[in-house]
Amino acid sequence: MAQHGIKAHEHKLVPLQTRSERPRSTSISDFAELSNRQEIWRYLPMDRLQGLDAEVIGEVSQSELSISLAGTVTASWIDSSEPIVGTAGLPEDRISAIAWTNASKTLLVEVPADQEIAEPVFLTLKLEELAAKALHIFVKVGANAKATIVLDHIGQGLLAENVEILLEPGAKLDFVSIQDWDNGSSHVSNQLTRLGKDSVLKHVVVSLGGDLVRVTPSVALDSPGAEIQMYGVYLADSKNYFEHRPYVDHIAENCVSNVAYKGALQGAGAHTVWVGDVLIRETAIGTNSYELNRNLLLTDGARADSVPNLEIETGKIEGAGHASASGRFDDEQLFYLMARGIGDTEAKRLVVRGFLNEVVQKVGISQVEDRLIASIEQGLEKAGV
Amino acid sequence: MATLEIKNLHVSVDTDQGKKQILRGVDLVVKSGETHAIMGPNGSGKSTLAYSIAGHPKYEVTEGEILLDGQNVLEMAVDERAKAGLFLAMQYPVEVPGVSVSNFLRTAKTALDGEAPKLREWIGDLKGAMKNLRMDPDFTERNVNEGFSGGEKKRHEILQLELLKPKIAILDETDSGLDVDALKVVSEGVNRAKEETGLGVLLITHYTRILRYIEPDFVHVFVAGKVAEQGGPELAERLEAEGYDRYLKTEA
Ligand SMILES: Nc1ncnc2c1ncn2[C@@H]1O[C@H](COP(=O)(O)OP(=O)(O)OP(=O)(O)O)[C@@H](O)[C@H]1O
Ligand SMILES: [Mg+2]
């Protein structure tokens, strides 16, 4: 399966630490202070947190988040003490608990049952100061409803965020989280999702800018027949540290998960981390699961860490697989293109675009795709590629 | 009129065990309109010769020259060689994920011509060429060589040959893996290019079958990194009957 010229390394299917044993709590004091000695913070450049790990931080003001609704979708700020908050999941780490504790309000976005919303809903958060702030968003999609929601993070700021996504039975949601921060920004986002019976979530993470961006999307597949597609695209330059840790918890029978993250890195100091955890519990009979991460290093001095972890507690599954690879340009591909007269730079661009295309095409929202393609072009320009 | 001259070409590759010499003094001249067949045992260096002409970075020329109309090909980058009029139909065409055939072909054509082809004309040419090669129009939307069968890959190479209109083409075992009908279709493509553009062809093959469709003016026997004997079409028949034993013996 590995592409030519890229080294694929198969990891043994030995769990590092059983994912299910990680504590869950909304209380900050239940989590130890951050340290690179803990696996979950192992790669994080602590100096870039800029106070996001302080117990007391500010809160995003409602005016900083602009909302463009579609169809019958509603959005309202509710008190975070409302019982719905926490029903899609609970924090598994300290910054998530900090964000939880410090966000007194929660933006509740609701798609009524049985509604099919054609146009995407856009939630655009624009921060303009380097002060640590908390944000909590709850997305609820009613039974058999269908919608697309784009959460966009732009400007310059410091954000600790929890996003909860709850799909009722038969619901379908395409959710895109874009991190396109200006330099100087840091963002830690925990995205907790729970899928009802036969619901389908497409969760897309697009990371393009920010000194530190850490997104941890997790899904609890505890109702039968649910399906999640988790896609990620990222383009990191020498200013960026991007960390993505998707986690799929297969609990119920006959669920499907497919995780595919692809990234391109350019410039000395560019650093990306991908840790993909898939846990298939004893009860998750008939599971079908695949996870993949590929990184293309466009220049020297960039570093991509890629760690797939697959824990399987039952043999009665449809399939489970993973692949992870990071490498430089494939010389054979470049040679083939150049042998047809295509210049070195153009050939490299074709290869990078093609490489990312596989995931970009999955986004399926033309506004987002166009922006992504423009960012890729810009990034290539910067890389002198 | 174009002339490709290969003079005393020596080529090595880097292997884990150090440098390994593969070509040991190849001399060959291919002119527009001529068809040269190269036949030789597995591992004798035929593909190495093809790649070296196209400029694959893996192969290091340690001695000798390659000239196209007197111009030093060895000093040209890979894309410059294509722009100068050289074309290599590869024995194992490479998959390029995420890049569609149509995007690839248009980009190549634009690079070669220095300007984008007129859309209408281009689409017409593309459709026509694909039809001639009995290729399904859907292929334009597929990624380059990804999931193509062996025969489809070879047709795709000849499609490029017809659209990009080089002066001299090296066909590295384009006939291998083709069924009888495909062999005919592909040969017709090469013959069309010969007729229309006066293409010079260096045809690497193991079988005389293709030589019935694409008639060679010269046949070269390639053994142990160089041309061991040259002759006319009759030499191919003899090779098919007798094999390479006599050459291998004299080598040893
Ligand atoms: N990168 C490489 N590393 C090591 N050996 C190589 C490399 N490339 C080519 N060779 C060797 O050089 C020799 C010539 O290979 P080449 O592919 O040119 O042969 P060929 O005549 O095209 O054979 P075939 O008829 O099987 O296609 C072979 O022994 C091959 O193993
Ligand atoms: Mg060969």
Side-chain angles (χ1 to χ4, degrees):
Chain A
M1 271 293 291
Q3 283 171 281
H4 291 281
I6 294 184
K7 259 209 186 103
H9 31 112
E10 288 301 321
H11 294 258
K12 273 187 253 151
L13 310 182
V14 179
L16 300 170
Q17 164 214 16
T18 294
R19 182 72 204 233
S20 52
E21 282 168 9
R22 244 183 238 174
R24 288 162 199 257
S25 168
T26 57
S27 169
I28 301 170
S29 59
D30 283 343
F31 299 98
E33 292 203 21
L34 274 64
S35 136
N36 290 124
R37 282 192 305 273
Q38 299 161 38
E39 193 282 328
I40 58 168
W41 306 117
R42 184 176 153 198
Y43 301 95
L44 204 80
M46 294 295 170
D47 54 326
R48 296 196 193 180
L49 282 170
Q50 305 186 71
L52 282 176
D53 55 340
E55 289 195 26
V56 179
I57 61 175
E59 184 168 4
V60 165
S61 73
Q62 300 183 7
S63 63
E64 287 170 314
L65 186 66
S66 57
I67 301 167
S68 149
L69 293 174
T72 49
V73 179
T74 60
S76 60
W77 289 93
I78 60 168
D79 209 280
S80 295
S81 60
E82 293 282 335
I84 189 171
V85 176
T87 53
L90 294 176
E92 273 194 322
D93 68 62
R94 187 175 171 95
I95 292 185
S96 176
I98 288 170
W100 202 282
T101 308
N102 286 277
S104 68
K105 296 282 180 191
T106 292
L107 178 74
L108 174 64
V109 179
E110 281 184 285
V111 184
D114 300 315
Q115 297 283 311
E116 209 169 291
I117 314 295
E119 289 300 306
V121 169
F122 286 93
L123 309 173
T124 306
L125 177 74
K126 185 172 188 188
L127 295 182
E128 286 175 319
E129 54 174 349
L130 290 178
K133 290 178 182 177
L135 175 63
H136 198 127
I137 294 175
F138 196 105
V139 172
K140 183 184 165 198
V141 186
N144 302 312
K146 200 178 160 200
T148 299
I149 297 176
V150 179
L151 171 61
D152 204 350
H153 303 89
I154 57 172
Q156 197 183 45
L158 307 172
L159 181 68
E161 180 183 47
N162 285 301
V163 177
E164 289 185 72
I165 299 174
L166 184 72
L167 268 58
E168 294 198 323
K172 270 197 174 145
L173 176 70
D174 289 359
F175 181 86
V176 183
S177 178
I178 305 174
Q179 294 64 241
D180 195 4
W181 299 103
D182 295 342
N183 288 339
S185 306
S186 296
H187 179 194
V188 177
S189 180
N190 190 30
Q191 310 199 349
L192 302 154
T193 71
R194 166 155 284 130
L195 303 192
K197 188 170 183 296
D198 298 325
S199 66
V200 181
L201 173 64
K202 178 158 81 178
H203 184 275
V204 182
V205 171
V206 176
S207 295
L208 302 169
D211 288 13
L212 182 162
V213 170
R214 182 185 199 261
V215 185
T216 49
S218 69
V219 61
L221 295 169
D222 56 5
S223 298
E227 174 180 336
I228 185 156
Q229 306 286 336
M230 278 184 169
Y231 297 115
V233 192
Y234 45 96
L235 198 63
D237 69 22
S238 54
K239 299 275 195 310
N240 306 129
Y241 170 85
F242 295 159
E243 178 171 328
H244 302 109
R245 289 179 177 253
Y247 169 38
V248 182
D249 188 1
H250 277 277
I251 302 162
E253 295 183 5
N254 302 321
C255 290
V256 174
S257 68
N258 178 33
V259 180
Y261 274 63
K262 279 191 159 190
L265 292 79
Q266 54 114 346
H271 187 188
T272 65
V273 172
W274 182 86
V275 179
D277 291 345
V278 173
L279 169 60
I280 302 174
R281 299 190 192 231
E282 211 176 336
T283 47
I285 293 163
T287 289
N288 201 339
S289 165
Y290 193 76
E291 59 168 346
L292 166 149
N293 174 235
R294 288 196 198 287
N295 298 291
L296 189 56
L297 304 166
L298 306 184
T299 55
D300 284 330
R303 173 178 161 191
D305 290 292
S306 180
V307 186
N309 296 311
L310 184 53
E311 292 179 66
I312 307 180
E313 295 173 351
T314 172
K316 296 179 199 147
I317 56 169
E318 283 272 306
H322 64 165
S324 149
S326 302
R328 297 299 304 261
F329 277 111
D330 179 348
D331 287 340
E332 297 302 324
Q333 287 176 11
L334 290 180
F335 172 72
Y336 187 77
L337 297 171
M338 289 179 72
R340 302 306 183 235
I342 300 170
D344 175 57
T345 304
E346 182 80 21
K348 284 183 173 159
R349 286 186 177 202
L350 272 179
V351 170
V352 179
R353 278 196 222 113
F355 172 79
L356 295 177
N357 236 350
E358 188 193 16
V359 179
V360 173
Q361 285 164 350
K362 297 275 163 50
V363 176
I365 305 166
S366 61
Q367 294 101 313
V368 176
E369 277 180 24
D370 292 348
R371 178 142 145 234
L372 204 52
I373 289 166
S375 287
I376 292 169
E377 294 307 310
Q378 242 176 38
L380 293 173
E381 197 91 35
K382 252 198 281 180
V385 161
Chain B
M1 265 305 271
T3 306
L4 176 69
E5 286 173 275
I6 297 158
K7 295 181 182 169
N8 191 31
L9 192 68
H10 288 68
V11 171
S12 333
V13 288
D14 272 332
T15 71
D16 293 342
Q17 291 81 41
K19 247 192 195 176
K20 175 178 173 190
Q21 193 175 359
I22 302 174
L23 300 189
R24 304 158 189 274
V26 179
D27 290 293
L28 207 58
V29 179
V30 182
K31 295 189 176 138
S32 287
E34 293 179 354
T35 298
H36 295 248
I38 291 190
M39 306 183 78
N42 293 133
S44 56
K46 302 179 299 296
S47 292
T48 301
L49 173 65
Y51 277 128
S52 302
I53 297 169
H56 195 295
K58 209 165 65 183
Y59 300 94
E60 188 196 342
V61 174
T62 54
E63 206 183 324
E65 283 183 295
I66 303 177
L67 304 171
L68 181 65
D69 296 332
Q71 297 243 17
N72 187 351
V73 170
L74 295 177
E75 279 179 359
M76 300 179 192
V78 177
D79 59 315
E80 289 168 348
R81 297 181 193 205
K83 285 176 183 128
L86 295 173
F87 180 91
L88 167 61
M90 291 182 209
Q91 183 174 3
Y92 303 110
V94 182
E95 298 185 2
V96 192
V99 178
S100 71
V101 166
S102 90
N103 184 15
F104 163 62
L105 292 175
R106 197 165 10 87
T107 307
K109 186 72 180 168
T110 305
L112 288 174
D113 291 359
E115 58 175 0
K118 291 209 183 63
L119 201 61
R120 258 238 184 109
E121 238 169 81
W122 170 247
I123 289 175
D125 288 354
L126 180 59
K127 273 194 178 154
M130 288 181 81
K131 195 166 168 231
N132 283 336
L133 289 166
R134 315 266 197 289
M135 287 178 81
D136 193 297
D138 292 352
F139 269 91
T140 55
E141 291 320 309
R142 291 182 54 181
N143 292 331
V144 172
N145 293 321
E146 214 176 51
F148 288 21
S149 76
E152 287 163 352
K153 283 184 182 165
K154 298 301 175 72
R155 280 180 214 223
H156 180 229
E157 295 293 285
I158 300 308
L159 176 69
Q160 296 167 53
L161 171 73
E162 285 205 69
L163 291 168
L164 302 180
K165 305 192 192 314
K167 294 176 183 157
I168 306 279
I170 303 137
L171 310 181
D172 191 359
E173 294 198 26
T174 300
D175 55 335
S176 295
L178 292 181
D179 64 41
V180 193
D181 295 330
L183 180 69
K184 206 165 154 241
V185 162
V186 158
S187 303
E188 282 166 7
V190 175
N191 286 331
R192 268 196 303 276
K194 280 173 62 175
E195 251 165 60
E196 284 169 22
T197 63
L199 179 72
V201 177
L202 190 62
L203 185 111
I204 298 169
T205 182
H206 286 294
Y207 310 103
T208 51
R209 209 174 53 149
I210 191 172
L211 303 180
R212 288 190 211 121
Y213 297 106
I214 307 171
E215 283 173 36
D217 304 296
F218 308 93
V219 174
H220 310 267
V221 186
F222 208 80
V223 181
K226 59 183 182 210
V227 177
E229 192 181 354
Q230 341 203 10
E234 73 290 344
L235 182 53
E237 303 296 336
R238 204 179 76 206
L239 288 174
E240 186 142 275
E242 295 174 12
Y244 300 109
D245 260 10
R246 43 189 262 147
Y247 303 103
L248 294 173
K249 270 185 212 123
T250 56
E251 274 301 312

